[in-house]
Amino acid sequence: MRGREFGDAIRALLRAAGLTNRAAADLLGWQEAKVSELVNGKEGVTDVELAKLLGLLRTPPDEFDHLMALHHDAHIRDWLQPTGSSTTDRVRTLREHEKIATEIDGWSMHVVHGLVQVPDYTWHLALAKPLPEPDARALTENRVVRQTAVLDGNRKVTIYMHEQALRLPVGNASVMADQLHHLLRMSVRPYLTIRLVPTAFGPHAGLAGDFDRLKFKKIPPIVYVESEGANVFLEDQVSVDRYDTVLKSLDRTALDEVQTRKLITDIIGEETRDDQVAQEQLQR
């Protein structure tokens, strides 16, 4: 994963500079193959040589440091990314891998999954963390961008959520109504499947926490786990297999799509009745 992110970043810098691999190599007095290896995420240069290339490409300081660190660790599998100061940077690796994924399977236990949240719902979750308003705004905007990129019809997406995720009040009644109706609208898209695990089922395989599994055409699948202190990307087959087992169990446990839509509709009806009762009590 580090190697792919490194190579993609070098490719983007070359493109921004208007240089081909050959042109950059000529300017540095290199063989074209050396630049090609970097674009393919390989470690075929020294730190000094990489610094020369990044200088030629006018790489911003933060990106320079990021790419130098990736270059050192490109051979290491699995990736723990401690929470940094930048909300945007936290999702960079996930965003880049979601772009090339052919299938995404997500599980969310306590809140609506990020890929199917409406902006107001995301905003209130961010404030509850609590995040300062500028960071909450950035997180909300970035999530919309991520949703647009992932839910474009070019990959199969399956979202599993627990029933309680839809019953947790986030924001006010209007926000929750918008969120629940959004799930109904999204659930009929042909490339998106939404399935709920009912509370009545009791203990289930997803109790350990939320995660996403991403599958690709030419590379092995990965698992993404997000926590308050770090983002974790798992590549080793043993770990990925464990999450595959969880997904298979959730598939057996969850309601089918028709049953899921009915449960969402029932929750909307309950919320509407509760709101009406509250309004009547206020008028008395």
Side-chain angles (χ1 to χ4, degrees):
M1 292 185 61
R2 291 172 174 85
R4 286 193 295 275
E5 183 166 322
F6 176 84
D8 289 344
I10 296 295
R11 190 179 296 110
L13 288 169
L14 286 165
R15 186 164 54 246
L19 294 174
T20 63
N21 291 3
R22 179 184 292 276
D26 288 344
L27 289 170
L28 292 168
W30 293 358
Q31 295 293 321
E32 182 181 355
K34 183 177 287 190
V35 178
S36 296
E37 286 183 352
L38 287 173
V39 169
N40 289 322
K42 297 181 179 179
E43 304 174 73
V45 299
T46 66
D47 285 354
V48 172
E49 289 173 324
L50 176 58
K52 288 180 179 179
L53 174 62
L54 296 180
L56 173 69
L57 300 178
R58 299 180 180 274
T59 308
D62 287 348
E63 183 72 349
F64 182 98
D65 293 341
H66 178 64
L67 293 178
M68 292 298 290
L70 284 181
H71 180 243
H72 293 157
D73 298 336
H75 61 286
I76 301 175
R77 296 182 66 81
D78 295 340
W79 195 355
L80 185 148
Q81 299 177 336
T83 304
S85 59
S86 170
T87 304
T88 302
D89 288 343
R90 283 201 73 181
V91 297
R92 172 175 177 167
T93 304
L94 176 63
R95 186 175 60 246
E96 292 302 316
H97 281 79
E98 284 177 334
K99 285 181 183 178
I100 61 172
T102 56
E103 291 184 35
I104 297 175
D105 298 284
W107 160 247
S108 187
M109 175 69 189
H110 300 295
V111 299
V112 171
H113 192 281
L115 287 176
V116 287
Q117 292 175 7
V118 295
D120 282 346
Y121 185 96
T122 305
W123 168 257
H124 285 284
L125 283 182
L127 293 180
K129 281 186 177 287
L131 288 178
E133 286 199 6
D135 288 348
R137 188 174 300 108
L139 187 151
T140 303
E141 292 171 353
N142 290 333
R143 183 150 297 172
V144 171
V145 171
R146 178 187 166 207
Q147 291 170 349
T148 302
V150 172
L151 302 175
D152 61 357
N154 291 324
R155 60 194 55 78
K156 179 183 176 183
V157 180
T158 302
I159 302 296
Y160 296 96
M161 292 181 287
H162 196 273
E163 177 185 343
Q164 292 305 313
L166 276 59
R167 294 187 178 279
L168 178 71
V170 175
N172 54 32
S174 176
V175 172
M176 287 305 300
D178 186 25
Q179 177 62 74
L180 292 170
H181 281 94
H182 179 69
L183 292 177
L184 284 180
R185 292 191 295 270
M186 297 291 287
S187 70
V188 298
R189 295 191 180 188
Y191 53 84
L192 174 63
T193 300
I194 297 175
R195 297 179 60 190
L196 296 178
V197 174
T199 302
F201 185 85
H204 51 82
L207 288 173
D210 304 352
F211 66 91
D212 292 317
R213 182 191 65 186
L214 286 69
K215 288 186 171 181
F216 311 90
K217 281 185 178 179
K218 297 182 179 180
I219 58 178
I222 63 171
V223 170
Y224 170 73
V225 182
E226 181 177 325
S227 69
E228 193 63 33
N231 297 339
V232 180
F233 293 89
L234 300 171
E235 299 179 86
D236 67 280
Q237 194 61 50
V238 173
S239 295
V240 173
D241 285 347
R242 292 178 69 89
Y243 282 93
D244 285 346
T245 300
V246 172
L247 284 170
K248 289 175 182 176
S249 179
L250 291 173
D251 182 66
R252 294 191 297 268
T253 302
L255 302 175
D256 64 26
E257 293 178 79
V258 174
Q259 293 168 328
T260 290
R261 281 192 284 270
K262 183 180 184 305
L263 180 53
I264 296 172
T265 302
D266 289 345
I267 295 172
I268 291 173
E270 293 171 17
E271 295 290 339
T272 301
R273 287 193 295 273
D274 290 346
D275 188 47
Q276 290 174 343
V277 171
Q279 291 295 329
E280 290 173 0
Q281 291 176 338
L282 287 174
Q283 292 172 1
R284 290 176 182 173

